[in-house]
Amino acid sequence: MSDSNIKSIMRFFPLGIVVITTKWSDNLVGMTVNTFNSLSLNPPLVMFSADKTKGNDIPFRESSGFVVNFIDNKQIFDTFAFRPVKERFKEVKFFEGINGYPILSESYAYIEAKKYGVYDIGDHAIIVGEVINAKIVRDNFEPLVYYNRDYWKLRK
């Protein structure tokens, strides 16, 4: 099967999306990902994957943890997907979490994690973190999913 067939099929699979943030070499780094998932409840582990061919894995590989920001704002997802890395945090409000990593102020929930392990699989790195703090900030949110190259709101 060709890469283009896989991409064509995967765009029709709805995926949850989050913004993953960290602090790396005194720089704030963040990116939109659609590969976040819970991995284990005991110990509490979460994971996401980062593209090694673009160097997206390096900040998370070299830092000691990260924050998973649950967002329901398309503009913020686009900022962390398309804006130059050095401009992303200039366009959003944030505060520091337990380990000094940035938490986006518009998050309806977030998870703070310390790095548990990094596993190289093909052209991606799987970044695993152990949850050290998790908080629901607000109850009124409409999560977004990524489907067919666009964002879609989930409504109850």
Side-chain angles (χ1 to χ4, degrees):
M1 181 177 277
S2 73
D3 287 348
S4 63
N5 286 339
I6 294 168
K7 289 178 183 177
S8 295
I9 290 169
M10 291 307 296
R11 78 174 202 216
F12 293 114
F13 182 65
L15 299 166
I17 46 178
V18 294
V19 174
I20 308 287
T21 57
T22 194
K23 191 172 188 177
W24 171 63
S25 298
D26 291 329
N27 295 305
L28 300 179
V29 178
M31 66 180 180
T32 298
V33 301
N34 62 5
T35 57
F36 170 75
N37 216 327
S38 171
L39 185 59
S40 169
L41 294 176
N42 190 14
L45 302 174
V46 294
M47 51 112 355
F48 68 96
S49 65
D51 190 339
K52 294 189 307 186
T53 65
K54 297 178 182 176
N56 292 344
D57 62 315
I58 295 170
F60 301 97
R61 184 182 294 274
E62 295 181 358
S63 66
S64 61
F66 57 88
V67 175
V68 181
N69 295 273
F70 296 83
I71 304 291
D72 57 357
N73 181 324
K74 179 185 182 302
Q75 184 177 358
I76 292 175
F77 283 124
D78 282 345
T79 294
F80 283 89
F82 303 119
R83 300 292 297 159
V85 173
K86 292 185 178 186
E87 294 179 20
R88 293 176 182 176
F89 282 93
K90 293 178 182 176
E91 298 186 20
V92 297
K93 293 180 181 178
F94 62 92
F95 59 95
E96 286 187 4
I98 292 172
N99 287 335
Y101 303 125
I103 297 171
L104 302 180
S105 298
E106 284 203 40
S107 298
Y108 61 81
Y110 61 85
I111 293 172
E112 295 177 271
K114 67 179 180 178
K115 185 172 65 183
Y116 186 86
V118 178
Y119 307 93
D120 291 316
I121 307 291
D123 60 5
H124 278 66
I126 297 172
I127 316 293
V128 177
E130 184 171 0
V131 176
I132 58 172
N133 185 35
K135 184 173 183 180
I136 297 173
V137 180
R138 58 183 166 90
D139 294 328
N140 59 338
F141 57 87
E142 294 180 327
L144 294 172
V145 296
Y146 193 71
Y147 171 77
N148 198 17
R149 299 183 182 155
D150 202 358
Y151 303 101
W152 297 82
K153 283 197 178 216
L154 294 179
R155 294 192 174 99
K156 294 180 184 179

